[in-house]
Amino acid sequence: MSPATRRSRPVIDATLVERLETLAGAAIARLPDVAYPLVSKLTSAKLLAPTRLPPDAVTIGSEVLYHDHHAVRDLRVTLAWPEQADISRGYVSVLTPVGAALLGLSVGDRFQWETRAGQRRGLTVLQVTPEQSPPVTASAPLQPKGP
């Protein structure tokens, strides 16, 4: 990925950095196209306490409406941890090119990168809805509600 075209520096929830660094480190051998840009983003981002994170900053659990410049369409996804990802339900992993690109961006920010095939891709964040509930997975069984 090449540097972002952006209005501001990415902002990331400081409480997530350790897990994001661990994921990126574990993925370097098999997914270097995602791992290295994620590490780069983590080192350049402004780290904030969750209570200081702007409501339009994309973080794990955020629902994001973005414009895909290559496909010329708007897409809505929720950024998720890899074990919660389910593209059929709109949950995209932070360990995908678009997931890593979205992390830390805010409404109005743009990001551009080049694919392994040499295609230029770009997106613009249109809307961010904070903290959506992740999908239920085999590793996260349904918990009963109530007392």
Side-chain angles (χ1 to χ4, degrees), residues 64-77 122-127:
V64 184
L65 176 66
Y66 69 92
H67 180 75
D68 181 325
H69 298 252
H70 181 74
V72 193
R73 65 181 174 150
D74 295 346
L75 299 165
R76 187 178 303 274
V77 298
L123 62 83
T124 301
V125 177
L126 303 174
Q127 180 182 23

Side-chain angles (χ1 to χ4, degrees), residues 35 43 86 101 131:
T43 59
D86 181 351
E131 297 299 320

Side-chain angles (χ1 to χ4, degrees), residues 20 25-26 30 41 53 71 88 93 102 108 112 121 142:
L20 290 165
R30 59 184 171 75
K41 183 169 278 191
L53 205 62
S88 69
S93 171
L102 288 168
Q112 294 183 347
R121 299 295 302 249
L142 259 179

